[in-house]
């Protein structure tokens, strides 16, 4: 019983605090948000909206934290990632404003503010009322009834004398007894209401979980296949050459005094094998993660790749910053796979590659167009494009193919990401 009383009183105090915060914070932030968004057409809102919406987001996140700590209610956020290294000045403010306004979670926050200041405030006030209202009944029974000349009601009890004062105390005791059982539930109801508005739709979350499960399996399979490829390349290439070089050197050691001429030939063969093994190891390293990709980014890495292709490749890139290393690697190898497919199967003699970042949508977009015969399809198990689709799916990326018979073929790929402010080269 002592625990139940403590929980009821705590829920009442917390409910009273939430009522004050709901009314003061939500009303203030809602008015500021509406005014700031309206002022965007005048240009002033571009400067104020990011700060106001950031404050709204912080307020909503605080409520999420309190919901879990006070009632064990989890409220997912689902905000889109912000740039890790945002740009300075007016350009950065405009970009930040656009990103915030295009985020569906921002509009869920703004919709929640009027709900919080009305229904949210009422559901938060109920636990406080069930705790503090019985105190009035006790005070009335203790003699406060004498201050009322008539016409005053405590609940449904008219206060007219000591008997009615005692009835008020009895009603207060019943209300407090009810509070012992319903106060924690009412506080949880307040946070459930907030979660119903703030949390992403359940179907979106379900699809997201399903998609993450699929891409996790694909990532594991791709990683295992990549390890097998590296092992096979080492075994069949560099390792075989190193073994042959060791055997040649052993033979040289035996022949160096008996047949110097033959020993020199074997030494030359060993030197050639070592050079070939080194070249194969370098190619293997480039296949894992090209050094130019780490040093200069995907644009220059794809330009370097284009120089090695057996057909003419024009690369146009406009990337105002660097993405995270895994995203850059996925973009590079996706373009590499598409270029390889074009060289092997399309019959094209020219390919155009375009890379750019759409800051408003938060997307890295890559398109590869060739002048080949067309007829490329996605979804065929074991096909090159299926592998590209799995690689992009790990990052919630998508792949679209337009390849009518007779060509041309255009492969468009998108990966959600944000860029740092570090400038990369473009042509």
């Amino acid at each position: 019983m002592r625990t139940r009383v403590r929980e009821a009183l705590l829920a009442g105090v917390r409910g009273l605090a939430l009522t004050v915060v709901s009314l003061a914070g939500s009303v203030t932030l809602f008015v500021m948000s509406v005014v700031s968004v309206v002022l965007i057409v005048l240009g002033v809102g571009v400067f104020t909206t990011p700060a106001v919406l950031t404050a709204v987001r912080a307020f909503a996140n605080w409520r999420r934290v309190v919901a879990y700590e006070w009632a064990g209610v989890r409220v997912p956020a689902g905000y889109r990632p912000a740039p890790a290294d945002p740009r300075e000045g007016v350009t950065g403010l405009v970009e930040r404003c656009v990103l915030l306004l295009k985020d569906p979670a921002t509009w869920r926050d703004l919709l929640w503010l009027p709900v919080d200041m009305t229904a949210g405030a009422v559901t938060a006030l109920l636990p406080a009322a069930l705790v503090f209202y019985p105190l009035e009944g006790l005070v009335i029974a203790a003699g406060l009834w004498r201050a009322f000349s008539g016409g005053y009601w405590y609940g449904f009890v008219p206060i007219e004398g000591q008997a009615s004062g005692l009835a008020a105390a009895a009603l207060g005791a019943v209300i407090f007894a009810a509070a012992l059982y319903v106060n924690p539930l009412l506080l949880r109801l307040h946070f459930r209401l907030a979660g119903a508005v703030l949390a992403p739709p359940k179907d979106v979350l379900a699809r997201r979980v399903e998609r993450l499960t699929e891409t996790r399996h694909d990532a594991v399979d791709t990683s295992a296949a990549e390890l097998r490829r590296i092992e096979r390349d080492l075994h069949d290439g560099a390792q075989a050459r190193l073994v042959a070089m060791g055997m040649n050197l052993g033979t040289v050691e035996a022949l160096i005094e008996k047949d110097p001429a033959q020993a020199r030939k074997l030494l030359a063969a060993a030197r050639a094998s070592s050079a070939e093994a080194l070249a194969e190891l370098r190619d293997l390293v480039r296949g894992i993660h090209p050094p130019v990709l780490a040093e200069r980014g995907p644009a220059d890495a794809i330009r370097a790749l284009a120089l090695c292709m057996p057909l003419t490749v024009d690369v146009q890139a406009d990337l105002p910053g660097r993405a995270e290393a895994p995203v850059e690697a996925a973009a590079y190898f996706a373009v590499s796979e598409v270029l390889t497919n074009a060289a092997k199967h399309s019959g094209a003699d020219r390919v155009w590659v375009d890379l750019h970042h759409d800051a408003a949508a938060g997307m890295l977009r890559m398109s590869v167009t060739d002048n080949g015969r067309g007829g490329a399809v996605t979804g065929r198990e074991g096909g090159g494009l299926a592998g590209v689709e799995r690689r992009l799916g790990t990052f919630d990326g998508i792949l679209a193919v337009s390849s009518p018979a007779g060509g041309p073929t255009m492969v468009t790929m998108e990966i959600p990401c944000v860029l740092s402010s570090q400038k990369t080269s473009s042509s």
Side-chain angles (χ1 to χ4, degrees):
M1 178 58 70
R2 183 178 301 175
T3 301
R4 193 179 294 276
V5 171
R6 182 176 60 83
E7 290 179 352
L9 292 175
L10 186 60
V13 173
R14 288 173 171 174
L16 183 60
L18 285 172
T19 303
V20 175
V21 173
S22 296
L23 291 174
S26 295
V27 170
T28 302
L29 289 173
F30 182 73
V31 172
M32 291 175 62
S33 299
V34 171
V35 172
S36 186
V37 171
V38 169
L39 289 178
I40 289 178
V41 297
L42 301 178
V44 179
V46 173
F47 299 94
T48 59
T49 299
V52 173
L53 293 183
T54 300
V56 172
R57 184 168 293 189
F59 184 62
N61 281 332
W62 172 79
R63 190 63 61 88
R64 290 184 176 94
V65 173
V66 170
Y68 181 71
E69 292 181 348
W70 289 3
V73 177
R74 295 182 181 272
V75 182
Y79 296 116
R80 290 177 179 174
D85 190 6
R87 283 190 267 184
E88 302 287 340
V90 177
T91 303
L93 281 173
V94 173
E95 186 176 287
R96 173 76 171 157
C97 184
V98 172
L99 287 173
L100 286 170
L101 290 177
K102 292 181 78 68
D103 190 346
T106 297
W107 297 101
R108 287 195 295 269
D109 290 349
L110 294 178
L111 177 63
W112 165 70
L113 291 176
V115 174
D116 189 53
M117 71 179 71
T118 53
V122 171
T123 54
L125 182 61
L126 284 175
L130 292 179
V131 167
F132 297 110
Y133 190 56
L135 296 178
E136 183 183 355
L138 295 177
V139 174
I140 290 174
L144 185 63
W145 59 269
R146 294 185 176 89
F148 302 121
S149 57
Y152 184 82
W153 291 69
Y154 178 80
F156 55 83
V157 177
I159 305 302
E160 298 173 346
Q162 184 63 54
S164 58
L166 294 175
L171 178 59
V174 172
I175 294 174
F176 185 77
L180 298 180
Y181 294 92
V182 303
N183 262 15
L185 300 178
L186 290 174
L187 190 65
R188 192 172 295 113
L189 174 63
H190 170 83
F191 292 118
R192 293 286 185 190
L193 177 64
V197 183
L198 287 175
K202 288 186 177 181
D203 58 336
V204 173
L205 291 176
R207 288 196 301 269
R208 172 69 172 160
V209 171
E210 183 179 357
R211 177 66 172 168
L212 288 175
T213 302
E214 293 176 356
T215 55
R216 183 189 63 186
H217 291 160
D218 289 340
V220 171
D221 293 341
T222 301
S223 177
E226 188 70 9
L227 288 175
R228 289 193 297 269
R229 181 190 69 82
I230 294 172
E231 181 182 11
R232 183 178 63 252
D233 290 347
L234 285 173
H235 182 271
D236 298 342
Q239 180 178 331
R241 295 189 184 281
L242 290 173
V243 170
M245 185 174 64
M247 295 174 63
N248 286 341
L249 290 176
T251 306
V252 167
E253 187 179 8
L255 294 176
I256 194 167
E257 294 182 356
K258 297 179 182 180
D259 192 351
Q262 184 64 23
R264 281 193 296 271
K265 291 180 181 179
L266 292 175
L267 282 174
R271 187 186 307 112
S273 294
S274 68
E276 292 173 356
L278 181 60
E280 290 180 355
L281 286 173
R282 286 173 176 168
D283 291 339
L284 185 61
V285 169
R286 292 191 190 99
I288 298 173
H289 195 85
V292 67
L293 176 62
E295 294 171 3
R296 305 190 60 180
D300 286 334
I302 292 173
R303 290 192 185 98
L305 176 66
L307 297 175
C308 304
M309 298 301 296
L311 65 168
T312 303
V313 181
D314 295 326
V315 180
Q316 296 290 329
D318 182 16
L319 301 179
R322 297 289 300 270
E324 295 181 352
V327 173
E328 291 187 342
Y332 170 82
F333 286 111
V335 173
S336 174
E337 184 68 28
V338 174
L339 287 175
T340 302
N341 286 345
K344 289 182 177 180
H345 309 297
S346 70
D349 59 10
R350 195 173 189 88
V351 179
W352 294 265
V353 179
D354 178 75
L355 291 88
H356 70 275
H357 184 261
D358 187 341
M363 288 284 182
L364 175 62
R365 290 196 172 101
M366 304 153 284
S367 65
V368 180
T369 307
D370 66 59
N371 60 354
R373 66 176 67 94
V377 295
T378 59
R380 186 172 64 241
E381 189 61 31
L385 293 179
V388 173
E389 197 168 22
R390 286 195 300 269
R391 184 185 294 275
L392 297 177
T394 306
F395 299 90
D396 284 342
I398 59 174
L399 178 144
V401 177
S402 173
S403 183
T409 296
M410 182 176 183
V411 180
T412 303
M413 297 161 282
E414 292 184 349
I415 303 178
C417 70
V418 293
L419 302 185
S420 69
S421 61
Q422 181 180 352
K423 183 70 177 177
T424 60
S425 58
S426 61
S427 65

